[in-house]
Amino acid sequence: MASILSLALIPAGVANAQTVQAAFAKGGRVSVVYDGGMSGTLTVQDRRNGAQLQLGGINLNLAGSRQIPISGGYHAEVVYDGSTVRGTDALTSNSDVFTGGTSTFYGTRSGEVCDIVDNFGHQFRATCSLTRFEYEQDDSGPGSRTVMRLAAVATSAVDLVEQDRINQQAQLAAQRQREAEQAMAAQEEAAFQAMLASRPAASRSQTTALEQAIAQDSQSWLFNRFDPGSVNSVVVMPASNDGLVTVRGNYSFNGGAPGWVEARLQAGVVQCVVYWDFQDSCRPVMSAPAPRDQASGETSTAYQSQREAEQEFYRRQTEEEIANTYNRRNNIYNSPE
């Protein structure tokens, strides 16, 4: 019998062999996978004179008995936990007269001996260690008897308690990483908001140009709807090398959902816009990316028709609402202090 204290006998698939070996010896929670083979005989007998039985391609005279050799593969996955053992196994047969199958089992373990009962009610005593799993099974039924020897060697083993500890450490490290990233993002956002607060307010003409650009651009939006008169907190961003002026402001859509937009102006005219939900590039006004047909890659015809109808409707509605808003603002601007 192989000694569980010999590291040389632990299979190559076992990580941290000493830890697994110590856990198994102390009755810890260890999972082991075994692979091997099955061999035995199937004995068929019947006392009825002249009885015939066909198994696969073999015709048997059942006035007596016939022994048929059987063989196949054997795979088992076993969890040892203190004095208890549970697992699953699977047989594959090389013969037409024996089909193999799968089963579950449970039992008790003492050292390298396991007393096991499977889900079919078969009871057997197995040699169970970190290196091998072996037992014999004698299964008798009406007119037949199957005697098998199943032997498999361990291909991998895991100390489940140690694995849980490692997993918990990994989860804790991942949580700390997420918290650190969130803290850094919060710091960056706070610094950015402080920068915005320190920027000079945009002029009335710049604010007007930004709101008109959003209103015009929103005609190309498929799902969101700009809330006219919602543009606020417009500031002038730091100067760029190309001489264009960048302004940034907040707005709302769909009845109060918040968003922000940046616009680049040349001589007071908006050249392009960058939105909070599409920050990849500064794109010209009225050039929102259109949905593509997944099969052809072309712009959806239904989308084009819908957008044309929506553009006309929202153009009239938005222009009227913005005009009313500008009139209210002008009254405020022009009112005496």
Side-chain angles (χ1 to χ4, degrees):
M1 179 177 294
S3 171
I4 65 171
L5 299 179
S6 173
L7 285 176
L9 296 179
I10 303 299
V14 177
N16 301 319
Q18 290 180 327
T19 301
V20 174
Q21 191 177 47
F24 189 84
K26 294 177 181 179
R29 195 157 55 94
V30 177
S31 173
V32 186
V33 176
Y34 304 91
D35 282 292
M38 170 273 294
S39 61
T41 58
L42 171 64
T43 301
V44 182
Q45 53 188 354
D46 196 317
R47 299 305 179 187
R48 295 174 296 174
N49 292 331
Q52 298 287 328
L53 177 65
Q54 183 172 0
L55 294 175
I58 303 175
N59 290 313
L60 301 178
N61 182 350
L62 299 183
S65 64
R66 175 74 62 88
Q67 286 189 335
I68 306 170
I70 57 176
S71 64
Y74 180 65
H75 174 84
E77 298 181 8
V78 185
V79 174
Y80 302 97
D81 190 358
S83 61
T84 64
V85 57
R86 57 184 173 83
T88 60
D89 61 5
L91 285 172
T92 57
S93 175
N94 296 330
S95 170
D96 292 338
V97 298
F98 183 79
T99 59
T102 62
S103 67
T104 60
F105 57 83
Y106 65 94
T108 59
R109 165 184 166 242
S110 177
E112 294 186 356
V113 177
C114 292
D115 291 307
I116 294 175
V117 179
D118 67 17
N119 59 303
F120 298 105
H122 303 134
Q123 301 182 19
F124 52 91
R125 173 163 288 184
T127 298
C128 50
S129 73
L130 282 181
T131 60
R132 61 193 178 123
F133 190 77
E134 301 175 358
Y135 67 92
E136 291 186 355
Q137 183 172 308
D138 189 338
D139 183 21
S140 297
S144 68
R145 179 187 180 190
T146 304
V147 178
M148 296 183 295
R149 176 173 177 78
L150 303 101
V153 297
T155 56
S156 66
V158 176
D159 178 352
L160 296 178
V161 175
E162 177 68 8
Q163 184 182 58
D164 288 344
R165 185 187 68 81
I166 293 174
N167 289 342
Q168 290 174 357
Q169 288 182 334
Q171 291 173 358
L172 181 59
Q175 177 64 24
R176 288 173 177 170
Q177 178 66 23
R178 286 193 297 269
E179 291 173 352
E181 293 174 351
Q182 290 170 357
M184 181 175 295
Q187 291 176 355
E188 292 176 350
E189 178 63 19
F192 183 75
Q193 292 300 325
M195 183 275 293
L196 288 181
S198 67
R199 299 304 303 167
S203 66
R204 185 167 59 178
S205 62
Q206 290 172 331
T207 301
T208 299
L210 178 62
E211 186 160 12
Q212 288 177 335
I214 299 173
Q216 182 181 5
D217 190 64
S218 67
Q219 297 174 29
S220 67
W221 300 354
L222 179 59
F223 301 109
N224 296 331
R225 296 292 176 258
F226 172 57
D227 297 337
S230 65
V231 174
N232 65 88
S233 304
V234 183
V235 297
V236 179
M237 300 297 285
S240 57
N241 295 329
D242 56 12
L244 298 181
V245 175
T246 300
V247 295
R248 177 188 176 104
N250 299 326
Y251 70 99
S252 67
F253 59 95
N254 296 348
W260 59 260
V261 62
E262 288 185 358
R264 309 199 70 195
L265 289 75
Q266 184 175 41
V269 179
V270 173
Q271 304 298 308
C272 62
V273 287
V274 177
Y275 287 94
W276 62 279
D277 58 346
F278 195 80
Q279 304 178 35
D280 293 341
S281 62
C282 191
R283 59 175 180 77
V285 175
M286 288 286 289
S287 62
R292 300 285 176 175
D293 182 81
Q294 294 183 353
S296 66
E298 298 295 329
T299 302
S300 166
T301 302
Y303 165 76
Q304 290 177 332
S305 300
Q306 177 185 354
R307 195 183 75 170
E308 290 172 359
E310 289 179 343
Q311 282 178 346
E312 182 60 25
F313 173 82
Y314 285 104
R315 180 183 295 110
R316 292 195 303 267
Q317 183 185 56
T318 303
E319 288 177 350
E320 180 179 350
E321 292 176 351
I322 289 179
N324 293 335
T325 300
Y326 288 154
N327 290 334
R328 289 195 301 271
R329 287 188 177 178
N330 287 333
N331 291 335
I332 294 174
Y333 290 138
N334 297 327
S335 63
E337 295 292 340

